[in-house]
């Protein structure tokens, strides 16, 4: 009888915990819901107003949302208009890989030689040893110019001196080739995959496939950049999907194991800053996973285990797992006013300073 009572207690306790968990896992349907009393959830004044003033006065951000437990607790500017998201595209591509890595269509250990990859400037024998996983972790050891700019290639070692996999450098050649290989191995278009894997199941409000287009100087490299256009509120859905380990409502959209792989450290912040000294000036120490930046070396519990998709001019999706928060913000590409990298890092830190549940 005693054992039966214990078993019944365990069953009841499990049911309560599952019930609490399901209540906490809020997802938007066709529209985001807004928390009508964010202060009760720890989003406090005067920090709330101070952050709003900071965004207006000290940044060029044109749209920003903070999501807490699946609901909007802070909103600023135009969060509906689709615009260019710069290098956040790379983080989205990383998510698309998961389905095909899991089913064996993409083998991350496949080399450029096996894939018969070459470019306008021919690859060296040592460079052909690079694997797909080296490309998506920015560790290929191939320092060719990408078809578009906006990377740290100026810090590159001499070609042919680095063993693939042994050295980190953020170089668009890696990322553009990763997009080419993704399409080659899957026989599918990146934008079709975004629509089927993300836009439709996440019920994105603003996704428009007709806006998406590739670009680049193909005389420099034959691998174009797969540029993307999203709205701020749809970027927040991507962040929430990552926060929920690839799950949306009751469906696993991205394999949970792959989400963990994406945000597993491949490069420490110390190595990143050694190889690219300018990263020391950012105000947040960032390591690198599979095309996602990892926040490291912080004593702020709200920032622990956080990770981020980042793009030039002021495009950002940051996930804070310890406090169940997603930050998404962007600057319209036609605005023509930049947010410095340092400003972007400040926004990432200041956004969660509003949150104080004690």
């Amino acid at each position: 009888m005693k054992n039966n009572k214990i078993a019944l207690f365990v069953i009841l306790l499990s049911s309560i915990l599952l019930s609490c968990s399901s209540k906490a896992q809020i997802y938007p349907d066709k529209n985001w819901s807004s928390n009508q009393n964010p202060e009760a959830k720890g989003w406090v004044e005067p920090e709330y107003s101070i952050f709003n003033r900071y965004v207006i006065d000290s940044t060029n951000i044109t749209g920003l949302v903070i999501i807490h437990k699946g609901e909007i607790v802070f909103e600023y500017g135009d969060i509906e208009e689709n615009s260019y998201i710069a290098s956040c595209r790379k983080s989205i591509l990383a998510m698309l890989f998961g389905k095909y890595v899991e089913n064996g269509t993409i083998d991350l250990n496949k080399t450029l030689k096996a894939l018969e990859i070459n470019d306008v400037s021919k690859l060296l024998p040592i460079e052909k040893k690079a694997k797909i996983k080296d490309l998506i972790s920015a560790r290929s050891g191939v320092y060719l110019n990408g078809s578009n700019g906006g990377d740290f290639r100026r810090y590159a070692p001499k070609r042919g001196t680095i063993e693939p996999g042994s050295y980190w450098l953020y170089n668009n050649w890696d990322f553009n080739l990763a997009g080419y290989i993704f399409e080659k191995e899957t026989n599918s278009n990146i934008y079709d995959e975004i629509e089927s894997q993300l836009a439709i199941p996440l019920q994105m409000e603003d996704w428009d496939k007709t806006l998406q287009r590739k670009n680049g100087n193909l005389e420099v490299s034959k691998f174009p950049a797969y540029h993307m256009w999203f709205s701020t509120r749809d970027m927040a859905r991507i962040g929430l999907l990552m926060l929920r380990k690839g799950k949306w409502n009751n469906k696993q959209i991205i394999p949970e194991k792959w989400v963990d792989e994406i945000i597993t450290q491949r490069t420490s912040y110390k190595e990143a800053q050694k190889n690219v000294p300018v990263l020391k000036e950012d105000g947040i120490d960032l390591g690198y996973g599979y095309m996602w930046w990892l926040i490291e070396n912080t004593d702020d519990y709200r920032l622990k285990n956080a990770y981020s998709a980042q793009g030039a001019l002021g495009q950002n999706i940051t996930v804070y797992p310890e406090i169940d928060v997603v930050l998404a913000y962007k600057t319209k590409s036609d605005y023509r006013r930049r947010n410095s990298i340092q400003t972007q890092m400040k926004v990432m830190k200041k956004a969660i300073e509003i949150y104080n549940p004690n």
Side-chain angles (χ1 to χ4, degrees):
M1 179 66 71
K2 182 177 180 182
N3 289 338
N4 288 340
K5 287 182 178 179
I6 292 173
L8 180 61
F9 173 75
V10 170
I11 292 170
L12 289 172
L13 180 60
S14 299
S15 298
I16 292 170
L17 290 173
L18 286 171
S19 173
C20 292
S21 175
S22 64
K23 288 179 181 178
Q25 302 295 299
I26 297 172
Y27 296 87
D29 46 34
K30 291 184 178 179
N31 304 106
W32 283 99
S33 61
S34 295
N35 189 312
Q36 300 303 311
N37 188 17
E39 194 161 3
K41 297 291 185 180
W43 298 88
V44 297
E45 292 285 3
E47 287 84 358
Y48 201 91
S49 296
I50 291 171
F51 179 67
N52 188 68
R53 196 74 256 163
Y54 171 78
V55 172
I56 295 170
D57 292 344
S58 302
T59 77
N60 296 313
I61 287 171
T62 54
L64 182 150
V65 291
I66 298 175
I67 309 300
H68 184 217
K69 297 186 181 298
E71 296 181 312
I72 294 176
V73 294
F74 183 94
E75 179 180 334
Y76 167 79
D78 182 352
I79 66 170
E80 301 179 17
E81 184 175 350
N82 285 308
S83 61
Y84 174 67
I85 64 167
S87 287
C88 291
R89 68 186 176 98
K90 301 159 188 173
S91 303
I92 293 173
L93 177 65
M95 298 169 72
L96 302 180
F97 266 81
K99 168 185 174 180
Y100 294 105
V101 171
E102 183 178 64
N103 68 21
T105 301
I106 294 177
D107 177 0
L108 295 181
N109 287 308
K110 207 167 187 179
T111 66
L112 303 191
K113 181 179 180 179
L115 289 161
E116 299 181 340
I117 297 297
N118 233 315
D119 206 348
V120 175
S121 296
K122 303 304 180 185
L123 268 65
L124 304 174
I126 190 174
E127 294 172 332
K128 291 183 179 182
K129 293 164 61 179
K131 301 173 181 178
I132 297 174
K133 67 181 181 181
D134 298 327
L135 297 173
I136 62 175
S137 56
R139 304 184 69 89
S140 75
V142 183
Y143 304 123
L144 292 173
N145 281 313
S147 62
N148 66 312
D151 56 23
F152 293 126
R153 187 181 170 278
R154 63 189 181 276
Y155 294 102
K158 184 179 178 182
R159 279 188 67 193
T161 63
I162 298 297
E163 190 71 26
S166 67
Y167 191 93
W168 179 85
L169 189 79
Y170 187 90
N171 184 10
N172 277 339
W173 190 86
D174 285 10
F175 307 126
N176 293 344
L177 177 57
Y180 171 84
I181 290 173
F182 175 85
E183 293 188 334
K184 181 175 184 288
E185 295 295 277
T186 64
N187 292 312
S188 185
N189 179 277
I190 286 172
Y191 304 128
D192 290 338
E193 289 290 327
I194 292 174
E195 184 157 275
S196 63
Q197 289 198 49
L198 300 175
I200 293 174
L202 271 55
Q203 295 182 280
M204 288 187 179
E205 298 171 79
D206 309 303
W207 167 254
D208 184 350
K209 194 167 71 171
T210 66
L211 295 176
Q212 318 303 318
R213 59 184 181 272
K214 298 173 184 174
N215 201 356
N217 186 345
L218 301 187
E219 293 183 0
V220 173
S221 171
K222 65 182 184 181
F223 309 118
Y226 39 91
H227 296 305
M228 299 177 190
W229 280 253
F230 280 88
S231 69
T232 308
R233 61 186 181 182
D234 284 348
M235 291 166 69
R237 288 176 189 255
I238 290 168
L240 185 61
L241 179 65
M242 288 292 291
L243 177 64
R244 298 285 184 257
K245 296 285 189 176
K247 193 173 184 179
W248 198 261
N249 289 314
N250 295 315
K251 186 175 181 181
Q252 196 71 41
I253 305 298
I254 305 295
E256 181 175 352
K257 183 179 179 181
W258 181 247
V259 174
D260 289 336
E261 286 292 316
I262 286 174
I263 58 175
T264 294
Q265 183 200 78
R266 313 291 165 178
T267 300
S268 71
Y269 79 92
K270 290 182 179 179
E271 182 183 358
Q273 291 178 1
K274 178 182 178 182
N275 297 356
V276 181
V278 71
L279 293 176
K280 296 177 183 179
E281 303 169 8
D282 290 350
I284 291 182
D285 293 326
L286 298 174
Y288 207 67
Y290 282 156
M291 294 195 278
W292 282 77
W293 296 92
L294 314 177
I295 297 177
E296 300 181 344
N297 192 37
T298 178
D299 293 326
D300 189 332
Y301 80 96
R302 295 168 296 190
L303 283 167
K304 285 187 179 298
N305 302 311
Y307 50 93
S308 183
Q310 298 185 25
L313 306 176
Q315 332 298 328
N316 191 289
I317 306 168
T318 299
V319 178
Y320 308 87
E322 299 302 311
I323 55 175
D324 203 351
V325 166
V326 172
L327 166 70
Y329 66 84
K330 67 203 309 282
T331 303
K332 295 177 190 175
S333 53
D334 59 0
Y335 191 57
R336 303 302 180 196
R337 296 180 67 186
R338 305 178 67 91
N339 288 286
S340 70
I341 295 176
Q342 288 74 28
T343 297
Q344 294 189 57
M345 298 302 106
K346 285 181 181 178
V347 173
M348 288 165 58
K349 290 169 63 174
K350 287 181 175 292
I352 52 97
E353 288 174 0
I354 314 171
Y355 181 68
N356 187 356
N358 298 322

